[in-house]
Amino acid sequence: MIQIGKTLISEAIINNEFACNLSACKGECCVAGDSGAPLDPEELTILETIYPKVKPFLRPEGIAAIEAQGTHIMSDFEEPETPLVEGKECAYVNFTENGTALCGIETAYRAGEIDFKKPVSCELYPIRVQKLTELHAVNYDRWDICSDACTLGKSLEMPVYKFTKNALIRKFGEEWYAELEQAVEEINT
């Protein structure tokens, strides 16, 4: 483990390779699982505010789920997350003609309708951040549906922390990321 400020970072994000391979997995991480994407507290108001502009980029099933459950829900552990459609895919998911799951929030962002890309937990994936008592644990979440991403990451020699660089900076800041790079350099020498 590496400690930077109030974060404990698993060396698995340094020692494993990853690069999303959307053409292979078709966005299965937005569909599989039994809960929505984790949300930071400040994202709750953002989702409520941007929902009217995101709504045109969503499927009717997603709209119905959001309007019935809200722009976010609370998990069994009282943590905020995105709502699901009938306990399955994220309510913010849309599908292409070939069945690839895309984030409706990110689609609205790319269309210039909003200035919020998507929840930071989604952009961070396969990294998951867990709040401990005083610290945040930064871990690599291994999931078999991402095996193609691991293969692609290996061929590109793309460590998890580099693949998620922009999201890590978004979450923890540029200074934090520079400290992580320095720690990685020290480990590799």
Side-chain angles (χ1 to χ4, degrees), residues 71-163:
T71 55
H72 72 278
I73 63 167
M74 297 305 281
S75 73
D76 293 340
F77 303 105
E78 291 302 309
E79 297 289 334
E81 61 186 40
T82 60
L84 300 177
V85 174
E86 298 179 7
K88 297 177 186 165
E89 73 271 5
C90 175
Y92 292 99
V93 164
N94 212 335
F95 292 97
T96 65
E97 287 181 15
N98 75 354
T100 299
L102 298 177
C103 177
I105 299 168
E106 187 171 6
T107 304
Y109 170 81
R110 290 179 187 269
E113 295 296 321
I114 57 174
D115 61 3
F116 177 74
K117 186 175 182 182
K118 61 182 161 184
V120 71
S121 70
C122 300
E123 191 175 0
L124 275 169
Y125 201 78
I127 290 178
R128 284 291 186 226
V129 178
Q130 181 183 11
K131 175 83 168 105
L132 306 173
T133 307
E134 294 291 322
L135 303 170
H136 285 87
V138 180
N139 293 304
Y140 172 44
D141 183 38
R142 291 178 178 89
W143 198 1
D144 61 342
I145 65 171
C146 293
S147 61
D148 290 312
C150 296
T151 301
L152 180 59
K154 192 170 197 74
S155 72
L156 297 174
E157 298 180 0
M158 176 69 68
V160 173
Y161 80 96
K162 285 187 179 180
F163 174 74

Side-chain angles (χ1 to χ4, degrees), residues 4 161-166 168-169 172-182:
I4 298 175
Y161 80 96
K162 285 187 179 180
F163 174 74
T164 57
K165 177 181 178 176
N166 291 337
L168 286 168
I169 290 171
F172 299 113
E174 288 187 25
E175 185 177 312
W176 180 94
Y177 192 82
E179 287 184 49
L180 174 61
E181 287 184 313
Q182 182 178 352

Side-chain angles (χ1 to χ4, degrees), residues 4-5 11-12 21-22 40 49-50 54 114 137 152 160:
I4 298 175
E11 290 187 27
N21 189 345
L22 197 58
D40 285 349
T49 302
I50 66 172
V54 171
I114 57 174
L152 180 59
V160 173

